[in-house]
Amino acid sequence: QLAWLHKVVTEKFWCVCLWCSPPLGELSNNLGLPADSPSAADRAELTTVASRTIAARGHPAWIPQRPGNSQHPGCTVLLGNEMMACPDWTLMEAYLRTGSVKRDVRQFGKVTLYSHSLDAGIAQVNHALEVQDTRDGLRVRISDKRIASLATAGEAATELSVAILEGGGKTPAAICIRSSLLLDWLPPGFVVRKYVDIADGHAVLFASFVDKTNSRRIEVTAWHRLVKDDGRGDVQLTPQAAPPKPSSKFEGGVRSYAEAVAGACAVDLIFANPRRGSRYTIEKVVMVTSSVVDISSQNLSSPRDRRPCLFEASFDSEDRPPLLPEVEEAHRSAWRSEWDKADIAIDGTRKVARCQRMARLFRFHQVSRGDSVCAAGEPRVQPLVSRLFQAASTDLFPGENIHRPSLLVTSRLLVQDPRNPPVIRIEPKLPPACRQLRFNAALGQRWHRFTFTPGAVKIHVQGHILHATASQLYGDTVSMPPKFAIPSSEEVSDVVEVRAAPWNQVHVQHSLTELGRPDGSSGGFYSLMRRTRLMRVEVLRRLLGDSEEDFRDATLRQILHNALVGLRSVPRPPEWCHGDNEDLHILEADATTRARVTLSYEKNELIRDISWLEGGFAQVEGQLLAGEVLHVEAMTLAEAKDRCVKLSGCKGFTFQGDAADGPVEVIFKNAWGECRAASDWTTFHFHEGEELLTSMLRKDYETSLQATGWIEEQVPSWDEIITRAETVLTDVANAGKVDGGVGGRPPFRNFITDRDGTTNNYCDRYASSIQSAYNGAWLSHFAHHCTDNAVVVTSAPLGGRPSAEGLLDLSVTPRGVFTYTGSKGREYFSNTAQRLLEAEELPQKQRELMDELHRRLLALCMNAGNTKFLGLGSGLQRKFGEITIARNDPAGTVPEPESRRFMAAVRSVKEALDPDGTELDIHDTGFDLEIFPRAMGGRSFDKGSGVLCLDKKLYLRISEGPNLIAGDTSSDIPLITASLRLMCGDRMVDIWQERILSEEHPEQAVHDRDVEGIAGEGADAELTEEEVQQRLKDEADRRSKEEEEERIAREAASRLAVLFVVSPGLHDHATPDQLRKAKKLGDRVKAWCRHSGAQCALMPSSDALVAFLVHYAN
């Protein structure tokens, strides 16, 4: 039972209504399933089945709909232009007979199973009831189904099945099913005529409501077929018209009888000697007719003489009524045709499934009554159905007033231009929870099948509409095959126009949905980011090179604008709602994996680049009087802004009147000042890009101050941070001046820095952390004017190899400005040789082994199902003597079984190359697999080691200073210590290191001094007085020498400046543990500088560091 319910609820979206407990008051049980809402009346209303001419409420067949227990008739028929009550053909009641005793199944005391459902796909209402008699334990299951045929006017069918289940109680002698035409709902002015025919082995009920005064008539005829199924298929039974006497026993095998019920239009259909487990069914086919004709001369006593003329269209020449399977087949075929036109398929989360069911429930009632699904008027559906759909649609489509399903179509297909050929604008936006919206629409005399997904629109043009009466979406407005305009950005005018030929499909991608490969070769997100890098490289080439081309060219800016629109178009996770993280999106890593991504870095850096290139305007009311007039011309507001940007020295413009009415006379000025108050004048102040961007960074920083917690009790202001850092660099530069600074030498010999988190903001994906144009320009400006050598030392891969992307592929600064190194300085790109070099030689055997391993892992990632691992987390990174391959990301995008499968495949590749396990070692971090040669695995190589190697290879002359070091993590502290070793010598650095360790662990230092003191006391006891005096003199000389050495070392270290970024939670509220670790890091950096004499300033963010560097350079 649970498995069946799960399948119905989760998979069968055509089952639009389902209740598994009876409504209050429907049954008289006091045990088993408790009653529940909604009421029986609401259930019957929601599950009404109907056709163009008849309707039957969705109540169970065994519950009579009488005026005493229902406010509405069970069945209605169209008479003229209104629905009138007709004889209720739905009533079928089940009894069990033992001799003269008749037991009503509805009175059994315990309900063990209940189901009431509506299958909108085949327009059929179903009921099931399993009850148990509390007296003897007898269990019985009854079920029924009901349809109102859409294929034949006035035709309907129902059936009731009874099965006696295994269990307690004595098997009854007979099953009796009473089929009735209920005549309680007689319209005013009508009289009743009824007839029961049980002769000739059949059972027919006939009833009519006749209004002689107004010549109106309603007739209902019901035919019955008896069927038994004992597990070997249906067997039709022929009822006998003469049942045995009530006192006699049923003898022989299973026999069936038909018995008219006195005083009612009903017949008892009896199955004698039933077997447990067998199913006994009464199929009831009904024909309902209504007419307004002269009936005064017609004989109304019996329908038999009039049957050929009344039902000539429905029956064959032998006057055989249709069987229920035949009625069902025609009915279902008609509904399949209707649903092909009317269905709106919505796919997505459970919230979407709820809206899908309510949309189909709404459409079902529309189609049942013959409504046009795109009709402009109010649909003829029950108010309860309408309210349910509105509740579900409001939940799924917040902000959209969708009160009927057709608005899901008309709100996304908008007639933009009705002229030939007509143009229809498509609005493809879907809510995050929705994965697909699919529907058919009749446009230009052809059916069009539309499929909307969060990233694409598919339009399939089908054949001509076969019936002239088929409803058009826009009627005569779109009479010709249309063109479709699909937005390509948020601008209304940015559209892509497409036109599909008949029997062809057009697929238009309107937003970014795929992750792609990090090298950008397979399109998608990474391809977009690669294109932004090319544009940023071009911006800096024009800015920093000898070219006279405008680095602010509109073409370059438009490409960045388009990229930002593309990133904003990436679909949201299903549960995302307005007000949630604006940077949270979801991308398809492959056919089975969707990756949650935070695109804050990519979007923010694009916004900053655009602001830096374009500048911005601030609107002020009044007339600008300051400055000289540069130019005067009549133009639109958009033209004025464009002219102001291009006009050299322009600080703003002012005009009189309303620019919305058309061109106005614009006055451009070369200075800015206060504006004279004037209600009819408007002024725009132009901010240069660099000024605007600095203001943005300052504002972001000040906003972040609201987040509590830094290593200092109070986060310093932006100006205070700039002042601190400027003091440090000025002092160090002054200490390092030679001959008073004559010769125009830059203030620093070397600028050695980390990248991510130091001079570049962190990004969740290394492969998409493209350097922004403003960042490259500002750092290049500092490197050119303030340093002899600028070196970037990172732990990340350097790149520069085929299919092995790295730092070189993410940077946009021109070659030669910075020396980029990877793998902690083991490898670097030589600006002189223009190729990749190694600061430390890798043995040939290990080099070949790692190259082959990388080639095989890349081939593994090309296999189906593995490409996603290239774009998730760390991806595939080729470092010096190490290869890193991601098996998941911190968000857990890949299911753990899939991650383990891929990890096993990587291990197989490693074992194929190193079957003995003597050459390669592998380390699993939980997200990444790190593979390296065993000979290198035990070595300690940090960024300090890299600096020592690079100093020799690149002739950096770090020992001479002045030097500037920048970092942001504990792995960057070796940059400081290595520079100090070159500037001050190993001995002093070791002494300072011991002091720092003793400060960090004072208890250990006290213990060591106590041990040394005890050992010294024992040795001193054996010395003579002269020897003691000599030892004291030697100790004093040693200390004096050490003090002089330290003075010299501190003097050398004074030519070292350290800018260290410590940002544990400035923009995201830091946890206590993060604050503790950050404070410990900051204290260690300050301790090194305090003991050595180097100058340092701690920076709360990388933005502050980069902004300061360009400030200092300026």
Side-chain angles (χ1 to χ4, degrees), residues 24 59 170 228 292 446 481 489 516 619 719 733 813 901 928 935:
L24 188 65
H59 55 276
K170 184 179 179 181
K228 179 193 72 169
V292 182
R446 287 186 180 273
S489 73
Q619 182 175 341
D719 291 334
T813 52
R901 177 198 65 79
D928 300 328

Side-chain angles (χ1 to χ4, degrees), residues 617-910:
F617 290 90
Q619 182 175 341
V620 180
E621 297 300 325
Q623 181 183 7
L624 177 63
L625 300 178
E628 298 179 1
V629 176
L630 295 176
H631 184 68
V632 179
E633 185 178 346
M635 60 183 67
T636 64
L637 180 59
E639 292 170 340
K641 289 181 177 180
D642 188 57
R643 177 65 62 85
C644 181
V645 172
K646 296 178 179 178
L647 191 60
S648 176
C650 184
K651 299 299 182 182
F653 59 88
T654 185
F655 58 87
Q656 185 177 22
D658 189 355
D661 297 335
V664 292
E665 187 177 79
V666 182
I667 304 170
F668 297 90
K669 296 294 194 77
N670 68 348
W672 179 258
E674 292 187 6
C675 296
R676 180 178 65 85
S679 60
D680 58 340
W681 282 82
T682 304
T683 298
F684 282 85
H685 182 195
F686 175 61
H687 297 276
E688 290 282 353
E690 189 153 323
E691 176 191 357
L692 178 62
L693 179 55
T694 303
S695 176
M696 289 174 59
L697 296 179
R698 177 192 294 266
K699 184 177 180 181
D700 290 345
Y701 180 84
E702 291 173 349
T703 302
S704 68
L705 293 181
Q706 299 174 4
T708 58
W710 196 48
I711 60 174
E712 298 180 9
E713 291 185 2
Q714 183 176 2
V715 182
S717 68
W718 178 270
D719 291 334
E720 186 178 352
I721 285 293
I722 299 297
T723 302
R724 288 183 187 179
E726 187 173 358
T727 300
V728 168
L729 263 65
T730 301
D731 290 347
V732 172
N734 290 334
K737 284 183 178 178
V738 180
D739 297 330
V742 177
R745 180 178 171 276
F748 292 94
R749 186 178 303 280
N750 296 294
F751 173 39
I752 302 174
T753 179
D754 175 48
R755 177 183 186 264
D756 294 308
T758 304
T759 58
N760 204 81
N761 285 316
Y762 276 115
C763 177
D764 287 358
R765 290 150 304 282
Y766 186 75
S768 65
S769 60
I770 307 295
Q771 184 182 20
S772 52
Y774 81 87
N775 182 279
W778 287 1
L779 291 178
S780 297
H781 184 51
F782 177 82
H784 178 72
H785 291 284
C786 302
T787 68
D788 287 335
N789 306 299
V791 183
V792 178
V793 181
T794 72
S795 301
L798 181 59
R801 301 181 180 90
S803 302
E805 293 74 31
L807 181 60
L808 293 174
D809 307 287
L810 304 175
S811 302
V812 300
T813 52
R815 294 286 170 86
V817 177
F818 280 85
T819 298
Y820 290 104
T821 74
S823 304
K824 302 177 182 179
R826 283 189 173 111
E827 52 186 354
Y828 66 95
F829 185 84
S830 171
N831 295 317
T832 303
Q834 288 293 299
R835 65 189 181 92
L836 193 70
L837 298 177
E838 295 175 353
E840 185 183 60
E841 191 81 13
L842 186 69
Q844 182 68 22
K845 181 180 180 181
Q846 293 182 359
R847 184 196 309 277
E848 294 174 355
L849 185 65
M850 298 308 290
D851 287 343
E852 179 62 17
L853 176 64
H854 180 265
R855 187 190 68 78
R856 294 194 183 190
L857 288 177
L858 186 62
L860 174 68
C861 291
M862 293 296 101
N863 294 340
N866 292 342
T867 55
K868 56 177 170 281
F869 294 100
L870 289 172
L872 295 176
S874 301
L876 177 61
Q877 296 184 1
R878 173 72 162 90
K879 301 179 183 179
F880 180 92
E882 180 182 314
I883 293 177
T884 300
I885 177 70
R887 70 179 183 92
N888 213 330
D889 58 12
T893 296
V894 181
E896 188 59 25
E898 175 72 357
S899 175
R900 291 186 178 277
R901 177 198 65 79
F902 183 70
M903 179 171 64
V906 172
R907 289 185 181 275
S908 297
V909 170
K910 178 254 181 190

Side-chain angles (χ1 to χ4, degrees), residues 961-980:
N963 302 307
L964 172 61
I965 303 296
D968 75 303
T969 66
S970 59
S971 65
D972 296 323
I973 291 181
L975 295 176
I976 303 174
T977 58
S979 299
L980 288 174

